[in-house]
Each structure stands twice: as structure tokens, then as C-alpha cells.
Amino acid sequence: MKTIKRSIKINSSQNYVFEVTQDYYIRLDWDPYLNEARLLGNSQNAGIGEESYCKNKLGMVMVSKYISYKSPDVAAVKMIKGPRILEKFSGAWNVKSTGIGESLVIFTYNYELKGKVFNKLFGPISALIFGWEMQVRLNNLKKYCERNNVP
């Protein structure tokens, strides 16, 4: 399994930042990677055992299940259905307060590509692509939170 982490400091409270990362009603307002994001079933809020549906701009779909949820600190999901290129995937948002009105967000992916040959050929490239995409998402999260947070 490969693990990739990216982080960013945001001038917004831990509670607010965490809420924004887990609110599927506003997810597309800040997340440029996705063009569809929603909780499945009758769920109104993210939480342990809840499932989410996310479709990226290339049309790849992932259904994931929350395996950890402790507001305002951590939310983690595990892929239960995903794109053909992924054998396994999990991801987590960790949000920590670093002072009055400031937060540190740590975004983590753990994944394995399907097939040993595919993994060997595309593993390093996938890490670069995923890392870049994660940082773009964090940069947009920062802009959204700092623009919209009411003190």
C-alpha cells in the first residue's frame, strides 16, 4: 500500500474546517476534483457506517464507507466500490487546532493499484498525480474556508 499525505494551514477554526470537509451539500463549491458528491441512502450527515458516492471529472466513481468519524478531529473512509485501477483505497481528513482561529488539515490517501505489473509501472506516477490533486483540493479548501468563515 502506498501512503500519501498533504497538509495545509487554514485561517479558520477547527470546527468550521472540519464541517466544510464533511458537508456534501457544499462539497462541490470548493472541491475541484469532483463533479458529483453525495451521501447514500437517507443520510443527511456523514458518520461511521454512512456511505458516500463521489464521481470525479473523468467519470470515475467511488463508493466509500465511513470507518472513523470524530468531529472535529478526524473522518476516514474506505472504498467499497471504485474505479478499476484501484485494488484498495482509504482516505482521511485530520483537522487540528493550531491556535485561535487557525487549523492544520492533514489529508491522507492509502491505496494500492490493481495488478503487480500495473502497480510497478504506474505506482510512482500515480503517487505524483494523487499528491498534486490532493494539494489542489487543499488549496481550494483553504480559499473557501478563509473566504466564507464568519468569525
Side-chain angles (χ1 to χ4, degrees), residues 42-121:
N42 295 324
S43 298
Q44 299 297 312
N45 299 300
I48 292 175
E50 301 296 337
E51 294 182 1
S52 65
Y53 172 97
C54 293
K55 183 168 137 181
N56 73 12
K57 296 195 176 187
L58 298 174
M60 291 188 273
V61 172
M62 181 181 294
V63 175
S64 57
K65 181 180 254 185
Y66 278 86
I67 56 173
S68 179
Y69 192 90
K70 186 179 178 222
S71 178
D73 302 306
V74 64
V77 297
K78 180 178 180 179
M79 179 181 78
I80 56 176
K81 181 182 176 193
R84 291 183 206 166
I85 64 167
L86 291 174
E87 181 70 34
K88 296 177 184 175
F89 178 88
S90 62
W93 293 96
N94 286 274
V95 183
K96 301 174 191 275
S97 177
T98 58
I100 297 173
E102 185 181 76
S103 302
L104 174 66
V105 179
I106 303 164
F107 193 19
T108 307
Y109 282 175
N110 297 293
Y111 71 96
E112 185 177 315
L113 300 176
K114 276 195 179 164
K116 289 182 182 179
V117 173
F118 193 72
N119 230 331
K120 191 167 186 124
L121 290 174

Side-chain angles (χ1 to χ4, degrees), residues 26-46:
I26 62 170
R27 183 68 174 265
L28 300 181
D29 293 344
W30 64 266
D31 192 337
Y33 181 70
L34 301 175
N35 66 2
E36 196 171 342
R38 65 179 186 271
L39 292 170
L40 296 176
N42 295 324
S43 298
Q44 299 297 312
N45 299 300

Side-chain angles (χ1 to χ4, degrees), residues 3-32:
T3 298
I4 303 172
K5 288 186 181 190
R6 295 292 182 270
S7 63
I8 197 165
K9 282 192 178 176
I10 298 177
N11 291 317
S12 293
S13 72
Q14 178 186 17
N15 286 330
Y16 180 74
V17 173
F18 185 84
E19 286 175 24
V20 169
T21 66
Q22 302 308 306
D23 187 336
Y24 285 79
Y25 295 104
I26 62 170
R27 183 68 174 265
L28 300 181
D29 293 344
W30 64 266
D31 192 337

